[in-house]
Each structure stands twice: as structure tokens, then as C-alpha cells.
Amino acid sequence: MHPDIQVKVATSQQHSGEYVFKVHPNLKGLIDLTFANDTPEEAASKVDIIFMAVPHGSSIEHVPKISEMGVRIIDMSADFRFRNPADYPVWYGWEHPAPDLLSKFVYGMPELHREELKSAHFISVPGCIASSSIYSLAPLAKAGLINGVAVVDAKIGSSGSGNKPSIATHFSERYNSVRIYSPSGHRHIGEIEQELSIVSGIKTTVTMSAHSVNMVRGILTTSSVFVDRELKMPDLWNAYRSMYGKEPFVRFIMDPNGLYKYPDPKLVVGSNFVDLGFVIDQHVRRVIALGSIDNLIKGAAGNAIQSMNVMEGFDEREGLMMSPMRLV
Ligand SMILES: NC(=O)c1ccc[n+]([C@@H]2O[C@H](COP(=O)([O-])OP(=O)(O)OC[C@H]3O[C@@H](n4cnc5c(N)ncnc54)[C@H](OP(=O)(O)O)[C@@H]3O)[C@@H](O)[C@H]2O)c1
């Protein structure tokens, strides 16, 4: 739906030769391409911008060559998200084979990296749980309020695991379940620490517990930081508004009397919005930062498009002003 972009090639190994709308029937009438069996290098030779949406460890096999072809790259995987190559063995268990390329990628989060994105050629799109966590915690980091460890509780729907079926995403296993699949050590912690440390200017540490819940799309992160002084709500409003007050895709959901008092994935699914909320528990001087996104849009493809818009000098909202679905 983007007015300045034409999709020239869509690749798939398993669906090669099939119409895109046969695989994605919701796109019927919107796209008449068939899936090509091109290698990423072949696809890159036909376009100005390539979006890589393959599993971690697969992008790195192709990006070094494509990066020499004069094509702009937007990579959805974790292969280029870290600035420090030493983070790869820690969080992914492998040494990065092309560490020199890492500094050429900009982290695709326009709200935090807009100026760098304007001159970028290569963009690395943030992880989905990382996105919700970073959006909600960054104002606290910037205000110097994260002095100890930030604690993230994440709940995510099944599409966060990709489209390959597994017992963990099987409907009957998933239904009625709230399964803590990563009580500690989640890979996205590394990205969250990286970005909060950049924003705050000090090394910031994070711990996270991640749960699979009974949704297809959507993430809710409930994050806690403990502060050493008394805070009032206007202090937090200042922190959040000064960071996001003019952002087209950041909304504050703070309605103490409403049904939806704070962010809920139901309010963002189908859109590029990130909904934020915050609360102070004065009893223990705990600040609770809430974030909610559609993991496939603001947590992936939406941030990719928004970052591309910044890189190309388009209106940042182009192709992205969909209303959330709020299925009822
Ligand atoms: N799902 C999310 O919420 C989310 C959010 C943010 C970022 N991401 C990241 O975005 C990327 C794509 O995510 P996804 O959820 O779409 O993943 P996915 O479903 O696991 O993989 C996407 C497609 O990649 C192709 N593929 C699979 N293995 C491959 C291999 N070894 N080499 C080349 N292509 C291969 C397959 O397509 P064909 O067989 O049709 O070619 C597959 O359908 C991943 O790196 C993921 O971590 C995902």
C-alpha cells in the first residue's frame, strides 16, 4: 500500500512459483506476483532495497555479498543487531563471521535512531520482545532512573515463533496455557541492554522472564525498576512526553477509569502503534513500565518499513497508517 514503493520480487523456497495471494489469501487483489525461487543475491540484483526475513544465522550467509552490490539492506534477523561482536557468543552461541559489518548497520528503531537512519544503507530491525521492552524503558533510562537491574516480564503470542509449526505452537497445546518458556537468559536481553545503555550513557543491566500466551499476535511487557527517591506521576509524564511526545506511532494508554486502563495487545494488533503506560508503586518505590505492540508489525515489518521511510526520506507514516483491528 506504500505510494513510493513497488514490490518487484518476493522469494520463497517452499512456495516457489505460487501466487503470493494463494499463500496469503488476505492479499488477493492487492498483489499479482508469484513467489520466485531466487537466491537472496539474485533477488538483490533486481531491486534497490532488499528486506531479508529469514531465521537468525541465515542472513549472515548472504549479507556480506549483497552489501557489496550497492543495494540497501533491511534485515529482520538478529545477525546484525549487536554493535559489539562479543555479544554474539554470549547471546547466540556463535562467533560473528563478519564483525566489520556490524558498525555499518543502524538499529531500526526510528524513535531512538532517527538521525543515523537518515544516512543508513543497512538496517537491522529490532527483535519483537526487545522492541516492547526498549520502548517502555527508554524514557526511564534517559531520565537516569535505571540504576539497578530492570526486570522485564514478557507475554507473547504464537506468531513470535515464526511460521514453522511445532508442538509449542500447536493450537491445543497453546490454548488455555500461560507457559513460561524462558524464565531467564532470553536472547533479546542483550539488545535491550545495548539500547538502554546507549540512551542512558551508562551500562544498564536487564533480566527477563518470557511467557507464551494464548494469542496469535501481540506482546505485553511489564517492566519494573526500583528507584531511590520519591517520584510523582508528573516526573514520569515529563520523561515519557519529552522522548515520545511527537512520535506518530507511540501512544499513551492511561485511563484509570476505563476498561483498558493500560496497554493491551488487543488495542494494537494489526497496526504499527506501540502503546505505553506507567505506574508508580510508592510502597516500594517501584516504577512499572508497560508496553504493547503487534510483534509482526511494530515488532518487525512495521519498524522495517518505518525505518526504510526515514532512510529514503519518505513521510515516516507512509504505508503504515492502519487502524488496529480490535477484534471483538
Ligand atoms: N515472528 C516475529 O514476531 C518476529 C519479530 C521480529 C523479528 N523476527 C525475525 O524475522 C525473521 C523472520 O521471522 P519469521 O517469524 O518470519 O521466521 P520464520 O517463519 O522462521 O522464517 C521465515 C521464512 O524464512 C525461510 N527460511 C527458513 N529457513 C531458512 C533458511 N535456513 N535459509 C533461508 N530461508 C529460510 C522460510 O521461507 P521459505 O521456505 O518460503 O523460503 C520461512 O518461512 C527471523 O530472523 C526472526 O527472528 C521475527
Side-chain angles (χ1 to χ4, degrees), residues 12-15 53-56 58 76-78 81 126-128 159-164 295-296 299-300:
S12 167
Q13 289 165 3
Q14 57 181 312
H15 297 294
V54 295
H56 307 315
S58 302
M76 314 296 294
S77 82
R81 288 182 197 152
C128 50
S159 63
S161 311
N163 75 359
K164 190 170 179 192
N295 52 295
L296 296 181

Side-chain angles (χ1 to χ4, degrees), residues 62-82:
H62 304 281
V63 163
K65 180 122 189 266
I66 296 171
S67 69
E68 292 169 0
M69 295 169 63
V71 179
R72 297 181 178 213
I73 303 170
I74 300 181
D75 183 45
M76 314 296 294
S77 82
D79 293 2
F80 297 93
R81 288 182 197 152
F82 289 134

Side-chain angles (χ1 to χ4, degrees), residues 2 4-5 49 51 72 74 106-123 135 247-249 272 298 301-320:
H2 198 296
D4 304 306
I5 288 290
I49 305 169
F51 291 78
R72 297 181 178 213
I74 300 181
V106 176
Y107 197 70
M109 189 170 266
E111 296 80 357
L112 269 65
H113 293 282
R114 186 167 282 114
E115 286 310 309
E116 297 151 84
L117 285 168
K118 284 179 185 170
S119 55
H121 284 83
F122 306 135
I123 293 170
Y135 281 123
E247 290 297 339
F249 294 109
N272 193 50
K298 193 59 172 160
N303 251 356
I305 300 290
Q306 193 180 343
S307 297
M308 175 199 72
N309 285 340
V310 178
M311 175 171 74
E312 297 297 325
F314 301 144
D315 182 328
E316 223 172 284
R317 297 163 299 177
E318 289 293 11
L320 291 171

Side-chain angles (χ1 to χ4, degrees), residues 13-14 31 41 62 88 92 126 175 195 222 226 259 283 292:
Q13 289 165 3
Q14 57 181 312
I31 184 164
E41 290 80 357
H62 304 281
Y88 280 94
Y92 287 87
Y175 191 70
E195 294 303 308
T222 306
F226 292 88
L259 172 61
H283 177 56
S292 188

